[in-house]
Amino acid sequence: MSSWRAKALNKVLYRAIRGRLERCNDILSVRGVIAGLDKLNSYIGTPGGLEWIDDSLSGVPCQWIVKGRPAGDNILLYFHGGGFCFRSPQVHSAMLHYLSRETRSRGVMVSYRLAPEFPFPAALNDCFTAYRTLLEQGVPPEKIILGGDSAGGNLALATMVKCKDKGLPQPLAALLFSPALDLTMNSQSAFVMRNEDPFFDLGSLMLLRNSYLNGHTPCDPLASPLGADLSDLAPIMVHVGSLEILLDDSVRLKSKVRRQGGVADLTIWPGLPHVFTLFQQLPEAKEAMERCGKFIDQCRQNSVAGSGED
């Protein structure tokens, strides 16, 4: 059973976001609608004193989050969502703050290139470059966590697949939130939940997808990483709402990773919308962050045990 706050948020999202997205015919209009997310302050829970340090990783712009005490030498490399086409700085910075705190990491958000100005594979190349650069700078892979929501979850998983293809080491783990992993949109939930999803309608998702792919086949495993070989990847934790058009992407990811011998932890949150973890005033979002922290702690313990360190 979802909280009363979640039920209220669903109504707000349906009216303020989905209802307006359904009338959008181009990406510029979509960007205008999504900008409204940053105004939902009563749900976002943006902490005071949040600051950013602009940086770049081999030319890829990024921002390091700054608040409170230093988090040590662990790094959470985060790829924001936005349908590959837009950013919501306030909601993503708040979420990254809380996620960094729970995982005891330094959070850095990658400002990858956006479609349609820069279609596939520009965003993936930027995310892969950011991770590879951290390795080249001497950061041990077991000190790096990948994170991403929605399109960013796609980019996180695709980065892991590309690392395996290129012979680079996997990160410690990946944390995915409502990931969009199959751009063919060929899933049962895409049909069943098309009228129930409080955030997206199917037409808006197709507009975003087509803008990103720019005619490229959605069957490319680096565009739809659910179709890739998912063996020998780092452990993955996934959080998704039960009301999402994209629900089946997470369910199929868990099933496939486990079939191929990997670790995948999935939680389906009843009555929750797309990337509900962006809204930190929800009790479910806070619990999801805490679960992420515990998952990462376990991954660290397993990494130390596997290396034979005391």
Side-chain angles (χ1 to χ4, degrees):
M1 181 68 69
S2 59
S3 67
W4 69 267
R5 280 184 174 272
K7 294 175 182 177
L9 175 63
N10 287 340
K11 294 180 180 179
V12 170
L13 290 175
Y14 206 103
R15 181 176 64 254
I17 303 299
R18 174 173 172 147
R20 295 172 62 196
L21 284 176
E22 289 177 330
R23 299 191 293 272
C24 292
N25 296 314
D26 56 67
I27 293 302
L28 184 61
S29 300
V30 171
R31 287 172 175 169
V33 171
I34 296 300
L37 281 176
D38 282 339
K39 300 177 182 178
L40 298 179
N41 294 322
S42 61
Y43 291 99
I44 295 171
T46 305
L50 199 60
E51 298 180 359
W52 294 88
I53 296 177
D54 291 330
D55 196 3
S56 70
L57 294 168
S58 294
V60 177
C62 62
Q63 297 80 39
W64 294 87
I65 193 168
V66 179
K67 181 174 172 62
R69 297 179 180 177
D73 56 356
N74 299 298
I75 294 175
L76 173 57
L77 185 65
Y78 197 82
F79 309 139
H80 66 80
F84 308 101
C85 296
F86 54 82
R87 299 185 179 95
S88 301
Q90 185 170 321
V91 291
H92 281 106
S93 63
M95 178 178 168
L96 181 55
H97 160 71
Y98 293 111
L99 190 59
S100 298
R101 184 181 66 183
E102 292 296 336
T103 59
R104 294 181 289 113
S105 307
R106 292 186 292 146
V108 56
M109 190 175 300
V110 176
S111 294
Y112 55 83
R113 288 170 290 174
L114 300 177
E117 294 84 356
F118 299 96
F120 176 87
L124 174 58
N125 289 344
D126 287 350
C127 294
F128 175 76
T129 296
Y131 178 72
R132 184 186 61 196
T133 300
L134 290 177
L135 297 177
E136 291 172 347
Q137 290 177 349
V139 181
E142 65 272 13
K143 295 291 186 180
I144 304 174
I145 305 162
L146 294 188
D149 64 278
S150 194
N154 173 301
L155 295 170
L157 186 62
T159 295
M160 294 165 71
V161 170
K162 189 170 181 177
C163 284
K164 185 177 71 168
D165 292 345
K166 299 292 185 179
L168 294 181
Q170 292 288 302
L172 175 72
L175 303 172
L176 309 183
F177 306 91
S178 303
L181 304 177
D182 182 4
L183 299 190
T184 69
M185 303 299 293
N186 185 24
S187 69
Q188 183 177 3
S189 62
F191 176 77
V192 173
M193 305 307 298
R194 68 189 188 282
N195 296 321
E196 303 299 323
D197 192 316
F199 201 113
F200 278 120
D201 67 288
L202 192 55
S204 297
L205 286 176
M206 295 296 287
L207 173 62
L208 294 167
R209 182 203 76 161
N210 293 343
S211 298
Y212 176 58
L213 292 176
N214 191 34
H216 190 81
T217 175
C219 298
D220 186 327
L222 291 180
S224 296
L226 193 58
D229 178 359
L230 301 181
S231 61
D232 301 317
L233 299 184
I236 300 170
M237 170 170 267
V238 187
H239 293 273
V240 65
S242 69
L243 300 180
E244 298 195 44
I245 287 175
L246 298 176
L247 171 61
D248 282 355
D249 288 25
S250 296
V251 174
R252 292 160 61 198
L253 173 65
K254 172 191 171 182
S255 177
K256 185 169 183 178
V257 168
R258 290 189 173 182
R259 283 200 315 270
Q260 297 186 348
V263 175
D265 185 308
L266 169 65
T267 302
I268 302 173
W269 295 81
L272 270 292
H274 184 63
V275 198
F276 68 91
T277 47
L278 290 173
F279 306 101
Q280 283 296 307
Q281 292 303 308
L282 299 180
E284 294 93 340
K286 294 177 180 178
E287 183 179 345
M289 294 293 102
E290 292 172 357
R291 292 190 186 188
C292 287
K294 293 177 181 177
F295 180 76
I296 293 301
D297 283 344
Q298 186 61 58
C299 289
R300 286 179 179 138
Q301 293 174 19
N302 293 343
S303 177
V304 170
S307 67
E309 298 178 10
D310 294 330

